[in-house]
Amino acid sequence: MRVDLLVTLQVLLVATCCVCSLSRGRALVRGSYHPLNIVTLVHAALSAPAVIMQWIWGLPNYAVFVHLRAVNDSPATWVTYYLFSSAVCVLFALCARRYDCERLREDDRSHYRGSFRTSAWSRVLMWLALLAPVVCGLFTPDWHIWTDYAALLDMQPHVQYATFVNTLYAMTYVAVLGACGLILAATTRLSQALPIAVFTCAAIWLNGKRNIVMLVLVLVVFSLRIRGVVSRRNTYVLFGCVLAAFVGYSQWYQLQYRPILSSFDTFYETARMDYTRDADIRMALFAELEPTATSPVLEYRGQSFLFDVLVFIPRAIWEDKPKPYYHYMTAVAVDGPRINRSWGIETGFLSEAVANLGLPGLLLGPLFVIGIAL
């Protein structure tokens, strides 16, 4: 495979992500809050940085995620990934552009805020969602989750705690949505800001992962912008502050809970897995494109989709219930057995679609995301 072809595809991906993110970011700040705008920005933010980091520092040595050494030697995987990621970014942006006319102009925002005013039940449900992780945490088998940050990560590998851990994790993300809903509700008063902030912080504390921190920061800024509390200019400033705050927090998190990653090589390798999604997509593609692949990501087609649909069934009733997708992808990445671990690599739906559906997932995955967003 000629190097100049790969470099051309890398430039194409970065340029596509930049153009699409600037277009959709501008539409978002101007009031077009369609979910596909956010989807486009997220996809671009998880795709372009991997290429930029590769230009600056090269590919990681992959001393931890050793399977990626074989994946990196597959030209077909590289080409397919670059073309796929570029095409998906353009597809998301073009679909989002069709809804730019559905903006919430300044004179429409009072009507939007009033959408919650007539429904007392909606406010009750949002408060219940916000309180859910705290109530669930009262039934914990280990009270260290209240005294030690990220203690839930230590409970995760233990099978006897699986139901509680999975339930509490789900509750924390539901609480974030409840908090944002209350911010958007017109009847929410300033006096209620303190309990909303306290219970949101409790959800972050109980969850103990970095992704929920970023999720809260971004969604709160968007909610304040939609509510009309902050101006367009202040939205840009807040996003800059959010990014700086998250980078600082992430560095502290790595040093505090992952001291083994203190060397630059290991830190860079892990950062590529945490903050980009090229690795998991390429591993899924490698299993489909290369006959030399040791094994597929999943044990059978649709395995992790089955978990997503039937997650509510307790494992005590269905002992062989599939695991979350990251469980299988982590085992593939470290080239190890499929065992319970206290950690896992970050994965995305596009990779999961390919692993579950094969190469047709390259088309069906993005179409499903667009269908959900519409």
Side-chain angles (χ1 to χ4, degrees):
M1 177 65 64
R2 296 183 58 178
V3 176
D4 54 352
L5 173 59
L6 291 181
V7 173
T8 301
L9 293 175
Q10 289 174 348
V11 173
L12 173 65
L13 176 57
V14 172
T16 301
C17 290
C18 290
V19 171
C20 293
S21 59
L22 286 174
S23 171
R24 295 302 90 208
R26 184 180 179 88
L28 196 65
V29 172
R30 287 188 169 187
S32 181
Y33 300 111
H34 196 277
L36 279 175
N37 285 326
I38 301 174
V39 169
T40 305
L41 291 174
V42 170
H43 178 77
L46 295 176
S47 301
V51 179
I52 296 173
M53 286 190 285
Q54 188 170 328
W55 287 343
I56 299 173
W57 296 297
L59 285 170
N61 295 325
Y62 289 117
V64 178
F65 306 106
V66 294
H67 180 66
L68 279 162
R69 296 177 182 176
V71 176
N72 290 340
D73 292 334
S74 171
T77 301
W78 279 114
V79 172
T80 305
Y81 165 72
Y82 287 138
L83 292 175
F84 170 68
S85 191
S86 300
V88 167
C89 195
V90 172
L91 179 63
F92 286 161
L94 290 177
C95 291
R97 188 177 180 183
R98 296 180 55 191
Y99 296 91
D100 280 354
C101 59
E102 297 181 4
R103 295 177 179 174
L104 296 174
R105 299 179 177 87
E106 293 297 333
D107 56 347
D108 295 329
R109 287 204 175 98
S110 60
H111 173 73
Y112 180 79
R113 291 197 298 264
S115 63
F116 288 127
R117 184 179 295 122
T118 57
S119 176
W121 281 108
S122 63
R123 295 193 298 275
V124 171
L125 289 176
M126 286 185 286
W127 277 107
L128 290 177
L130 182 60
L131 297 173
V134 173
V135 175
C136 182
L138 297 177
F139 298 91
T140 176
D142 185 353
W143 285 93
H144 283 94
I145 66 170
W146 291 105
T147 58
D148 300 334
Y149 179 65
L152 206 61
L153 299 176
D154 297 327
M155 298 173 60
Q156 195 170 11
H158 301 286
V159 177
Q160 64 270 30
Y161 300 145
T163 301
F164 172 78
V165 170
N166 291 333
T167 301
L168 185 54
Y169 270 136
M171 293 294 183
T172 55
Y173 293 107
V174 170
V176 173
L177 297 179
C180 292
L182 288 170
I183 293 174
L184 291 171
T187 54
T188 300
R189 298 183 295 273
L190 184 62
S191 60
Q192 296 173 331
L194 180 59
I196 292 174
V198 168
F199 287 113
T200 303
C201 290
I204 294 174
W205 178 276
L206 292 171
N207 184 288
K209 292 186 176 182
R210 286 172 293 175
N211 57 48
I212 195 172
V213 175
M214 190 62 176
L215 183 68
V216 168
L217 293 174
V218 171
L219 290 183
V220 167
V221 172
F222 275 130
S223 299
L224 293 175
R225 171 58 181 157
I226 295 172
R227 179 74 185 263
V229 176
V230 296
S231 65
R232 184 187 308 172
R233 179 179 300 177
N234 289 338
T235 302
Y236 287 117
V237 175
L238 283 176
F239 271 124
C241 295
V242 163
L243 182 60
F246 182 75
V247 169
Y249 161 75
S250 184
Q251 290 294 106
W252 169 83
Y253 187 96
Q254 293 278 40
L255 294 174
Q256 187 74 19
Y257 297 100
R258 296 183 180 179
I260 194 174
L261 306 178
S262 56
S263 68
F264 176 78
D265 288 342
T266 310
F267 172 79
Y268 175 44
E269 177 182 347
T270 308
R272 281 286 295 265
M273 304 296 287
D274 285 344
Y275 303 122
T276 68
R277 292 298 176 270
D278 71 309
D280 68 309
I281 295 177
R282 288 191 293 113
M283 284 189 284
L285 288 172
F286 179 78
E288 302 296 329
L289 296 173
E290 295 292 343
T292 58
T294 54
S295 63
V297 176
L298 303 174
E299 297 169 351
Y300 54 87
R301 295 294 190 193
Q303 186 174 18
S304 70
F305 280 173
L306 193 61
F307 170 84
D308 296 337
V309 175
L310 302 177
V311 63
F312 57 89
I313 299 179
R315 204 166 292 279
I317 298 176
W318 185 9
E319 187 175 351
D320 296 328
K321 187 177 76 170
K323 301 291 181 63
Y325 179 63
Y326 79 86
H327 171 86
Y328 303 101
M329 184 56 82
T330 302
V332 171
V334 300
D335 202 12
R338 295 183 175 104
I339 59 175
N340 290 324
R341 295 176 171 85
S342 60
W343 59 277
I345 67 171
E346 301 291 342
T347 59
F349 179 76
L350 298 180
S351 166
E352 187 172 2
V354 174
N356 280 274
L357 304 175
L359 292 181
L362 292 173
L363 176 62
L364 298 177
L367 291 179
F368 180 80
V369 173
I370 292 172
I372 293 295
L374 296 180

